Amino acid sequence: MNIDLTDTTSSRINAALVRARQAAGSPAVGMVLTLIIATDEANHYDALKAAGEASHQHPARILVVVKRRGRSPHERRRSRLDAEVRFGGDGGSGETVLLRLHGELADHAESVVLPLLLPDAPVVIWWPVDAPDVPSKDPLGALAQRRITDAYAVEAPLRELAARAEGYAPGDTDLAWTRLTPWRSMLAAALDQAPRTDILSAVVESEPDNPSAELLSRWFSARLRVPVERVVTEGPVVTAVRLRTTHGEIHIDRPAGAVATLSIPGQPTRTLALKVRTTAELIAEELRRLDPDDAYAAALRAEAVAPETAV
């Protein structure tokens, strides 16, 4: 069910949400959180599609904030709020409100969003592109317990990580780090299975300027306190990790596709699933935990790894 509202207010949007629930025969609010997506017109469709898929695991009220300041001085001055209220659409499980903020209202998005937050429920905000320099101090970011950015969405991802480190606050996270969860889990399992050994150094192979590879390298540096080398490959994303130990090399290799090989000294080589996950899967993972991610903070604040070596 869709309800279009032109030149409206937050109170009218709330009333439309109640009408939509009643028309669908579901008067009770069953959402567990509010997810705010702060994006632009060009990217809102893909972001909303990913959030809708993630909402099957985490029923949420999704508020998509699109700022349209206008081109002429008159358009930039005139404030107007247009909204689309969707109930159970876009393959999602919950409520969706697409908010288009025109003119000066675009500079006060928090005043529109605040009355639409679910009472007594966590708030998560996601910037698919163009995140603020300090997410926790952004007016919309200040409403949320969890703030999600994506270093992949910028032209200079390594500079973006430096900005994230400088402005970090508990509750911040980045999808470049979320993409590493299968790698970190597999590496932890490999170390548990390997003979008791000392790690001497680490190598991370990836496409150039890959933020996930940089975070993984920093994580090794912070946790293992060993030299870490970055090696440039054709990708996609992270293609291999090697841990050099006193008993040989632990090696995970994923040159392409969804399959990786795992080599542990003294054991046969194994084939494991290690696919590149979709944005919806990444968002669903982040919505599972709303506490501060200390491992991400440690990796973010660790020193950048030495210059990359081309292969």
Side-chain angles (χ1 to χ4, degrees):
M1 178 178 183
N2 290 7
I3 301 174
D4 292 331
L5 300 171
T6 303
D7 200 3
T8 189
T9 63
S10 296
S11 61
R12 292 175 186 166
I13 295 171
N14 265 321
L17 286 167
V18 173
R19 291 200 305 274
R21 285 198 300 271
Q22 291 173 342
S26 178
V29 178
M31 274 59 71
V32 299
L33 58 87
T34 302
L35 173 61
I36 305 169
I37 305 174
T39 186
D40 55 20
E41 199 69 58
N43 292 280
H44 87 274
Y45 176 81
D46 289 339
L48 183 53
K49 184 173 184 292
E53 292 176 13
S55 72
H56 287 291
Q57 298 181 43
H58 312 278
R61 173 175 289 179
I62 301 172
L63 306 177
V64 185
V65 178
V66 177
K67 298 179 180 181
R68 305 185 68 175
R69 291 182 172 84
R71 297 180 180 179
S72 69
H74 173 72
E75 289 176 332
R76 288 193 292 269
R77 285 194 302 269
R78 185 176 182 274
S79 295
R80 190 177 87 243
L81 172 62
D82 298 333
E84 298 176 34
V85 177
R86 307 173 186 176
F87 189 84
D90 298 307
S93 176
E95 302 170 338
T96 300
V97 183
L98 177 57
L99 302 163
R100 289 186 171 91
L101 283 64
H102 299 261
E104 294 180 347
L105 187 62
D107 296 323
H108 304 282
E110 71 283 1
S111 65
V112 175
V113 168
L114 186 60
L116 301 176
L117 301 179
L118 290 172
D120 303 319
V123 178
V124 178
I125 184 168
W126 170 33
W127 290 273
V129 293
D130 299 329
D133 291 337
V134 184
S136 62
K137 293 186 178 179
D138 178 83
L140 282 176
L143 300 175
Q145 289 79 49
R146 191 75 160 175
R147 296 169 293 274
I148 305 171
T149 55
D150 192 354
Y152 274 83
V154 300
E155 293 183 359
L158 301 189
R159 285 206 299 268
E160 184 80 358
L161 292 182
R164 294 283 160 262
E166 186 174 349
Y168 175 82
D172 290 355
T173 193
D174 195 283
L175 294 185
W177 176 251
T178 316
R179 291 179 178 93
L180 291 173
T181 301
W183 284 92
R184 294 190 295 123
S185 299
M186 193 176 294
L187 287 164
L191 288 172
D192 287 340
Q193 298 169 38
R196 194 169 188 85
T197 184
D198 292 328
I199 299 173
L200 305 176
S201 65
V203 179
V204 178
E205 300 181 8
S206 76
E207 61 191 2
D209 297 326
N210 183 275
S212 293
E214 177 65 21
L215 286 171
L216 185 58
S217 301
R218 295 186 190 189
W219 185 61
F220 284 149
S221 180
R223 294 294 300 270
L224 303 178
R225 302 195 179 280
V226 296
V228 182
E229 181 184 359
R230 287 280 306 280
V231 175
V232 174
T233 66
E234 294 182 357
V237 296
V238 179
T239 54
V241 174
R242 299 180 210 149
L243 298 179
R244 294 169 179 150
T245 77
T246 52
H247 284 80
E249 185 175 89
I250 299 172
H251 187 192
I252 300 177
D253 186 28
R254 186 192 62 185
V259 177
T261 57
L262 169 63
S263 301
I264 300 175
Q267 299 185 22
T269 299
R270 278 170 280 179
T271 300
L272 303 169
L274 189 59
K275 69 172 185 175
V276 176
R277 295 185 295 166
T278 66
T279 303
E281 291 171 316
L282 300 175
I283 292 298
E285 178 183 326
E286 284 302 328
L287 297 182
R288 279 196 289 271
R289 56 170 300 174
L290 302 180
D291 56 314
D293 191 336
D294 295 333
Y296 167 68
L300 192 62
R301 290 169 169 166
E303 291 186 8
V305 176
E308 303 170 348
T309 305
V311 295

